[in-house]
Amino acid sequence: MRQKLVLHFPSTVVEQPFVYHLVKDMKLMVNILKANINPRKEGRMVVEVSGEKEDFLEGVEFLQSRGVKVFPLEQEIVWVKEKCTQCGACTVICPSGALSLKRPEMEIQFDDDKCIICEYCIKACPARAMEARY
Amino acid sequence: MLVKRTYEEINAKIRAGKAVVVTAEEVVSMARERGVEETAASVDVVTTGTFGPMCSSGVFLNLGQTKPKIKIKELYLNGVEAYSGLAAVDAYLGATQIPETDPANKRYPGDFNYGGGHLIEELVAGKEVLMEATSYGTDCYPKKKAEKMISLEEMPQAFLFNPRNAYQNYNVAVNLSDKTLYTYMGILKPDLGNANYSTAGQLSPLFNDPYYATIGMGTKIFLGGGIGYVSWFGTQHAPEAPRGDNGVPLAPAGTMAVIGDLKQMDPRWLRGMSFLGYGASLMVGIGIPIPILSEEILRHTAVGDDEIFAPVVDYSEAYPQGTGDTLGQVSYAELKSGEITIGERVVPSAPLSSYPGAREIAAMLKEWIQKGEFMLSRPAFTLPATNEGVDYMKSVGPAFSE
Ligand code: SF4
Ligand code: SF4
């Protein structure tokens, strides 16, 4: 199975090597989609985990036992290309570089993998071409 | 060799399918490679384009009479008020008007999800809108209330009439304060967090004809996906703005009023906009063909982004207070690179106007002309190049007898 998860790390556990255990001990594939982790602060990570169902459940249990909160990724930000006017206004608002301009064409490109779902673009886009989907 | 062409000669070539047409982007490299003289000798028309938010836009509507007849005093279309202090069922709907029910900035920053601009887009897209009209009743117009769904098709006439579009140059907006600003120039993050600009640079119509040698009342243009005309010089037209050696203004300068039949336009090029904390607007696509009547005119179209400069203006103080202060000039080449330098600071820059849209419009117009479908028109008078305005008694249009 394959699922996207949002992991919340309390400040006390941030520096422990979780991903290592998931990969090594549970044989899971972990693709880190975005990470916002700072020493001694709360952290947030979006990962895509794939592997056997049993391993997956074991992995989730392992994380929870260490104080990590695990949520399924329910929300997704989509770029509605037909609504986009290619203005580029969102590129200075998006903090992750998920929305950027291809130069010299000045065409907008949206890189899903870089999006940290901050939702800033949703109201910053004058054409309302960025949407949150659940 | 001195290049001289007349509108009549150019149109004859268009009709014959032999006109040489290039876009204002293509002409830059062409002139740099082959020189201005040779380029002017071969090119007949240069097409320009811009696709950006233009707040000073709106439509005149005739809604068609009801039975019995009504002289509308107050009119709402999908809750957006249209000005109806005209004859019976005529009205003007402005792009930035928002519904009475919109909380606006009471919930700061307001969303402004719907307004005149969105309504115009919906009408052009063929959607029905709710019309609510009230009146006081007269002997000739007894009806006091009318309510119905109406579409653009049912309206006897509707034309886009924008009093100020296609600004020749515009401010680069920044924020020197410590709080986020929500403006018609987009979101400006505190402490020089970003710099927003809003013209298509080298593709923008008036940058390509800086002294208005060819653009004026009656110039046939691409407007909102259809055909329109330049109808006047726009509000705030300021031709005497400071200019660089190449004649290009260094500050907001010329503007134009444009007009066109709404019924032949395309919602792709008339888009309702929502600017967080500012309001609603309309993004308008405009393209203007520039006839290469002389080498001088070609030289002006060949100016590139690195030779066009815009003033950087602080929107926390200088703009709202109208101090006129600027933080210097930056080129459109820098702006398009994604970073500009203001003093010691490197600031990320972003456009509000769509460069790909501008390029597409210029290319479309080029194709129309190449196919012989779009003839150029000679304006009755060109946009005034000085604050003196136009001598209407004498005006006969440019370059006719040459
Ligand atoms: S949600 Fe945030 S990170 Fe994702 S595209 Fe929008 S602004 Fe960028
Ligand atoms: S701000 Fe909206 S319309 Fe403009 S480029 Fe970004 S997604 Fe497209």
Side-chain angles (χ1 to χ4, degrees):
Chain A
M1 65 176 292
R2 171 192 297 262
Q3 200 177 346
K4 285 185 184 173
L5 298 172
V6 181
L7 311 181
H8 279 267
F9 299 86
S11 50
T12 46
V13 303
V14 156
E15 280 158 76
Q16 300 178 24
F18 295 99
V19 174
Y20 173 80
H21 286 294
L22 294 178
V23 175
K24 186 87 201 314
D25 303 342
M26 283 131 224
K27 314 250 172 320
L28 293 167
M29 297 254 298
V30 181
N31 185 10
I32 300 177
L33 301 178
K34 37 220 116 164
N36 186 359
I37 307 267
N38 305 295
R40 288 176 299 281
K41 279 196 192 150
E42 277 193 10
R44 187 171 174 274
M45 202 186 247
V46 181
V47 292
E48 187 178 57
V49 181
S50 47
E52 294 300 320
K53 186 161 184 190
E54 277 161 34
D55 295 335
F56 177 84
L57 294 174
E58 197 188 329
V60 171
E61 222 165 85
F62 160 75
L63 288 168
Q64 285 169 337
S65 72
R66 296 296 178 93
V68 179
K69 293 196 183 117
V70 183
F71 305 95
L73 180 71
E74 289 161 343
Q75 203 184 337
E76 204 184 4
I77 302 292
V78 289
W79 172 52
V80 187
K81 198 174 177 197
E82 314 74 63
K83 280 196 186 172
C84 175
T85 63
Q86 298 279 345
C87 72
C90 52
T91 57
V92 281
I93 300 302
C94 174
S96 70
L99 285 160
S100 63
L101 284 172
K102 185 162 105 204
R103 297 188 159 81
E105 298 87 350
M106 302 300 281
E107 280 161 13
I108 195 84
Q109 42 193 10
F110 175 55
D111 182 349
D112 205 341
D113 288 346
K114 284 192 185 154
C115 174
I116 56 164
I117 319 183
C118 67
E119 301 192 8
Y120 290 162
C121 54
I122 293 185
K123 287 181 177 177
C125 167
R128 297 286 185 264
M130 301 303 295
E131 291 178 3
R133 299 226 173 124
Y134 300 89
Chain B
M1 179 191 55
L2 221 52
V3 174
K4 284 278 172 224
R5 289 187 189 85
T6 65
Y7 282 86
E8 290 69 20
E9 285 162 5
I10 294 173
N11 277 337
K13 282 182 88 173
I14 296 175
R15 223 170 278 121
K18 287 190 180 137
V20 178
V21 190
V22 297
T23 71
E25 189 177 54
E26 292 161 346
V27 77
V28 177
S29 47
M30 223 172 140
R32 283 180 191 178
E33 278 158 30
R34 305 190 203 164
V36 167
E37 196 179 314
E38 202 189 311
T39 310
S42 61
V43 173
D44 298 304
V45 183
V46 171
T47 60
T48 65
T50 182
F51 183 39
M54 304 192 195
C55 290
S56 213
S57 299
V59 287
F60 276 104
L61 303 171
N62 179 282
L63 299 156
Q65 260 302 355
T66 54
K67 257 185 193 166
K69 288 182 177 171
I70 187 168
K71 172 187 177 324
I72 299 174
K73 177 159 184 294
E74 273 182 347
L75 173 68
Y76 294 90
L77 296 167
N78 278 0
V80 179
E81 186 169 19
Y83 179 74
S84 53
L86 301 163
V89 287
D90 280 350
Y92 186 77
L93 168 72
T96 68
Q97 190 66 280
I98 54 168
E100 306 276 293
T101 49
D102 192 304
N105 270 340
K106 278 183 214 122
R107 238 185 10 229
Y108 180 82
D111 285 357
F112 302 100
N113 285 319
Y114 196 81
H118 301 86
L119 186 54
I120 293 168
E121 177 186 334
E122 287 182 355
L123 283 172
V124 179
K127 291 197 183 135
E128 286 198 318
V129 302
L130 174 65
M131 158 187 156
E132 295 166 288
T134 52
S135 182
Y136 46 85
T138 71
D139 291 340
C140 41
Y141 295 102
K143 201 174 169 81
K144 290 188 180 164
K145 199 166 182 281
E147 208 183 291
K148 62 170 178 175
M149 296 302 289
I150 188 166
S151 69
L152 182 60
E153 204 187 343
E154 293 162 60
M155 299 182 193
Q157 288 83 22
F159 50 91
L160 191 73
F161 189 13
N162 305 344
R164 179 167 80 250
N165 278 179
Y167 234 124
Q168 184 183 27
N169 215 349
Y170 208 72
N171 299 335
V172 177
V174 296
N175 176 5
L176 291 179
S177 79
D178 56 8
K179 68 178 207 344
T180 301
L181 300 175
Y182 300 93
T183 75
Y184 68 90
M185 291 296 289
I187 300 169
L188 302 174
K189 295 193 275 186
D191 186 30
L192 290 177
N194 58 307
N196 287 1
Y197 66 99
S198 176
T199 96
Q202 62 193 8
L203 268 172
S204 185
L206 291 178
F207 273 148
N208 285 286
D209 185 8
Y211 293 110
Y212 331 114
T214 70
I215 299 173
M217 185 193 178
T219 298
K220 188 164 129 189
I221 63 174
F222 172 106
L223 178 61
I227 306 279
Y229 291 86
V230 175
S231 51
W232 209 253
F233 44 101
T235 53
Q236 295 179 21
H237 181 69
E240 292 187 1
R243 286 170 191 263
D245 292 341
N246 54 12
V248 177
L250 300 168
T255 72
M256 54 198 172
V258 297
I259 195 166
D261 187 350
L262 195 66
K263 296 193 177 201
Q264 38 105 52
M265 293 187 191
D266 179 341
R268 166 127 202 254
W269 302 108
L270 288 175
R271 293 287 311 277
M273 293 285 119
S274 302
F275 283 95
L276 192 63
Y278 165 72
S281 187
L282 184 71
M283 200 149 158
V284 184
I286 294 182
I288 302 192
I290 299 187
I292 304 305
L293 306 174
S294 70
E295 200 177 296
E296 189 63 11
I297 289 172
L298 187 283
R299 185 191 312 280
H300 284 135
T301 64
V303 168
D305 281 329
D306 53 343
E307 303 164 284
I308 309 175
F309 296 85
V312 181
V313 175
D314 169 34
Y315 273 60
S316 71
E317 184 68 26
Y319 184 84
Q321 302 305 330
T323 66
D325 294 341
T326 71
L327 300 165
Q329 301 272 331
V330 287
S331 75
Y332 278 89
E334 282 174 88
L335 286 164
K336 280 167 76 180
S337 78
E339 269 179 4
I340 61 168
T341 308
I342 304 172
E344 306 275 277
R345 296 278 300 275
V346 175
V347 181
S349 56
L352 293 170
S353 161
S354 171
Y355 194 80
R359 191 194 293 118
E360 202 178 325
I361 290 170
M364 242 187 293
L365 193 50
K366 170 179 163 176
E367 198 188 314
W368 290 354
I369 298 170
Q370 279 174 333
K371 282 191 185 156
E373 292 166 358
F374 186 107
M375 297 292 149
L376 305 197
S377 65
R378 187 168 64 95
F381 58 83
T382 52
L383 302 180
T386 68
N387 291 346
E388 303 301 305
V390 182
D391 185 347
Y392 302 110
M393 293 294 268
K394 289 200 188 127
S395 59
V396 289
F400 182 55
S401 50
E402 288 179 272

